[in-house]
Each structure stands twice: as structure tokens, then as C-alpha cells.
Amino acid sequence: QVRLVESGGGSVPAEGSLRLSCAISVSGSTDLTYYHMAWFRQAPGKPREGVAVVRWGGTTIYADSVRGRFAISKDDDRTNLYLQMDSLEPDDTARYYCAVGNQAISQWMYLNERYYDYWGQGTQVTVSA
């Protein structure tokens, strides 16, 4: 079993910053060594979209909409995942979820929610104009 708990959301004005955290705990025999870790977001009335991924080897992938503004990182022991969000825009308003999975093997898969097995409950980010 893998449990993910997000924190750090809130309300900020445009151009502000937030840092999201995701605490990851594992019980049983699951080994996250070869799991990718990602942030997704979902705005009201819109499908969930991939924001950023850190692959198990450490390389990162970003959605075009956040590249250059957001930075994903993780602890070496894979117990925490982070998303530093700068220059926030009203369009960034959404509920943000962390997720882990090991099924993605091609570039187009990494930001696709179908390839992630475990999810947190999310944390709300609201950016005002």
C-alpha cells in the first residue's frame, strides 16, 4: 500500500508563489525505487491534466503551460515530493494531486493520469487576478 498526502495549497494573488508537498508512505512489499512521481491538477469543469513529472531516474518533464514557472523535486529516499510554483496565474487555479506509478514508458505517457497507480486526495490552489 502507498499513501500520499498533499499539503501547501492556499490562496495567493497573481505573480505569487506556493510550494506544495506530498508526503509518501509505503507499507508492505511495495518498492518505489522504479516509480515515477508526478503532480496533476484539475480545475472545475475540466479534465485532470499532468503538470510535472520526475522520473525514477531523476529527469523531469513539464507541461508547456508551467515550464519555466514550476519546479518538481523529490527527496532522495522518495518520502516526499515537492512542487515549487512561481509566477502563479489565475489559470493555475485548480486542485493539485500527487501521484506515483511505474507504467509510463514513452514520452506521451508521463503526463497521462492513466499510467499512475496511487493518488493523494489533493490540495486546493486558488490564484486571484
Side-chain angles (χ1 to χ4, degrees):
Q1 283 288 69
V2 179
R3 184 168 182 256
L4 301 96
V5 180
E6 301 92 339
S7 61
S11 298
V12 295
E15 297 301 314
S17 297
L18 282 173
R19 180 176 170 85
L20 304 184
S21 299
C22 175
I24 303 168
S25 57
V26 179
S27 61
S29 60
T30 302
D31 181 355
L32 295 184
T33 301
Y34 298 107
Y35 276 68
H36 315 299
M37 298 182 172
W39 288 96
F40 288 77
R41 67 186 181 186
Q42 187 167 23
K46 295 185 178 180
R48 189 152 52 185
E49 63 172 345
V51 174
V53 177
V54 54
R55 295 190 287 191
W56 70 264
T59 56
T60 56
I61 300 171
Y62 295 93
D64 290 344
S65 58
V66 306
R67 189 176 295 112
R69 300 188 298 120
F70 290 11
I72 189 171
S73 61
K74 63 180 176 65
D75 289 347
D76 289 342
D77 61 2
R78 291 174 292 279
T79 58
N80 288 282
L81 180 69
Y82 305 100
L83 185 67
Q84 177 66 41
M85 305 187 295
D86 297 321
S87 301
L88 282 161
E89 303 169 353
D91 283 348
D92 295 318
T93 295
R95 191 164 185 84
Y96 285 70
Y97 300 86
C98 60
V100 299
N102 63 354
Q103 301 176 57
I105 58 172
S106 297
Q107 186 74 12
W108 65 272
M109 294 178 178
Y110 291 108
L111 291 175
N112 189 317
E113 64 176 321
R114 293 174 52 192
Y115 298 96
Y116 289 83
D117 305 300
Y118 302 101
W119 292 83
Q121 293 300 306
T123 185
Q124 179 67 33
V125 171
T126 302
V127 184
S128 57

